[in-house]
Amino acid sequence: MEQATGSGEFLTSNITDTALIFEGGGMRAAYSSGALSVMLAHGLHFDWVAGISAGSSCTCNYLSRDAERARKSFVDLAAHPDFGDLRTFVRGQGLFNAEWIYEQTGLAGQALPFDWARFTANPARVRIGAVKATTGETVYWGREDLTDLPGLMRRVRASSTMPILMPMPIIDGEPYVDGALGTSGGIALDAAQADGFTKFFVVLTRPRGYRKLPERRPGFYRRYFRDHPAVAEALITRHERYNATLDELEELERQGRAYLFRPVDLRISNAEKRIDRLAATFNAGRIQAAGEVWRWREFLGLPADRPDAARELQTARRHRPR
């Protein structure tokens, strides 16, 4: 499939039988962004892409084919004075200043301009997941919903709205929270399956063997979200859905129907803001991805590309932060 940008450039998809899924994880997505940059460098263009929470930002950066923006989104932006802290939290803007991060930085002339023309010219289908705070219903937005840049970025914000830490945005009269609270627990496998896919490439932000534990303070969540009990219940039971999705993915992996990119050198939390740690995390993702890209191509049925992978690995290691 191909489609032209406003400048006449044609974008194509060369992977049409496999869904690409980006897990969330807050600033851990710096690692995912390193892997994303390797995908783009090697011309791996999936025709169906989904993301939840921080994975929705990765989805947008991937579809606009902007590896540099992917890096800046989860590395450089954290150094900006408007990124968010306790002061913005007290003012009701969130510990992460969500309106600024998602709805302002992507505009022309701002800190992180988004290439809307390339995003719209990309022929790939897209799914961005969030949860309605009033009902707990999972919503996946597609191209038909993403008709302009402000609408796209508001939905990315909704998908990424961590409860308590960020205020809920309103879309079409409905308040939304993080898509990680939804039916899949935060990995959009259900959306890919609903669209007919049986083969999956999933970029995860937790290492092999990880399972989420039950919440230790369910009473606190029920009190805090007494006006939105569906949010409280989704938080309390999220581990069940998340772990079930991981179990299903690992079974698909055993069957040869899923490739799970799992971080092996991830040393930060979802709230990390130290630029040196974020830069090292991005580079660790690049190094791991460069070492695996020949296996990616094998899984995807693409021609072998091991020499280029070796060069990418050498480049990534040369640029490892000291």
Side-chain angles (χ1 to χ4, degrees):
M1 298 180 66
E2 64 179 25
Q3 193 163 322
T5 67
S7 63
E9 174 190 15
F10 279 90
L11 301 185
T12 62
S13 299
N14 59 354
I15 303 164
T16 59
D17 65 343
T18 304
L20 172 61
I21 300 170
F22 288 102
E23 183 185 6
M27 302 308 287
R28 290 194 298 269
Y31 205 100
S32 305
S33 295
L36 185 163
S37 71
V38 173
M39 285 183 197
L40 293 177
H42 287 267
L44 302 182
H45 299 144
F46 290 79
D47 197 47
W48 191 100
V49 190
I52 287 174
S53 197
S56 65
S57 291
C58 291
T59 294
C60 292
N61 291 329
Y62 173 83
L63 289 172
S64 64
R65 299 189 182 175
D66 195 338
E68 182 60 15
R69 188 179 193 274
R71 185 189 65 80
K72 289 179 177 178
S73 294
F74 291 99
V75 179
D76 297 3
L77 197 65
H80 198 286
D82 291 327
F83 188 71
D85 51 26
L86 286 176
R87 290 171 297 178
T88 56
F89 182 73
V90 170
R91 291 199 296 262
Q93 297 168 298
L95 188 64
F96 295 91
N97 187 0
E99 182 178 358
W100 179 81
I101 291 170
Y102 297 105
E103 298 191 49
Q104 297 180 27
T105 61
L107 301 175
Q110 298 301 312
L112 208 61
F114 183 74
D115 194 335
W116 173 252
R118 265 188 159 231
F119 176 84
T120 55
N122 193 318
R125 286 179 288 169
V126 57
R127 296 287 182 265
I128 291 173
V131 168
K132 286 186 179 180
T134 52
T135 64
E137 175 191 357
T138 300
V139 174
Y140 282 107
W141 292 297
R143 290 281 186 187
E144 65 278 8
D145 307 296
L146 311 174
T147 56
D148 57 32
L149 179 58
L152 169 65
M153 290 308 177
R154 192 160 185 82
R155 285 165 173 79
V156 171
R157 174 186 170 186
S159 180
S160 308
T161 295
M162 291 186 281
I164 302 175
L165 299 183
M166 301 177 184
M168 300 179 194
I170 306 297
I171 298 174
D172 297 330
E174 288 279 353
Y176 282 88
V177 291
D178 201 313
L181 303 187
T183 52
S184 67
I187 305 168
L189 177 63
D190 56 340
Q193 291 170 328
D195 280 348
F197 284 90
T198 59
K199 190 176 177 182
F200 314 93
F201 190 106
V202 188
V203 180
L204 298 170
T205 55
R206 293 290 195 176
R208 182 172 294 278
Y210 174 81
R211 288 297 185 273
K212 194 169 289 296
L213 298 175
E215 289 292 344
R216 292 178 296 176
R217 297 181 294 276
F220 167 77
Y221 289 124
R222 291 191 174 106
R223 289 191 299 274
Y224 189 93
F225 290 107
R226 57 186 175 275
D227 294 332
H228 294 97
V231 174
E233 293 310 309
L235 276 164
I236 293 165
T237 60
R238 183 197 167 196
H239 69 284
E240 298 171 1
R241 297 184 300 283
Y242 180 82
N243 293 343
T245 298
L246 283 181
D247 289 344
E248 184 174 0
L249 283 171
E250 290 180 357
E251 177 57 31
L252 290 166
E253 184 182 42
R254 283 189 287 271
Q255 296 172 11
R257 294 200 289 130
Y259 189 105
L260 307 183
F261 177 83
R262 297 178 182 271
V264 297
D265 189 23
L266 183 61
R267 307 180 188 184
I268 63 170
S269 73
N270 63 347
E272 182 62 68
K273 294 183 180 180
R274 291 170 290 186
I275 299 301
D276 59 336
R277 296 289 185 91
L278 293 168
T281 298
F282 174 84
N283 209 57
R286 281 184 66 204
I287 290 171
Q288 182 181 337
E292 290 186 26
V293 71
W294 66 272
R295 285 196 282 151
W296 297 359
R297 300 182 72 90
E298 186 177 70
F299 172 77
L300 296 167
L302 297 175
D305 196 27
R306 295 188 69 167
D308 286 345
R311 285 196 293 273
E312 175 69 19
L313 180 60
Q314 291 170 359
T315 300
R317 284 175 170 161
R318 282 200 302 272
H319 291 86
R320 183 197 293 267
R322 300 297 180 186

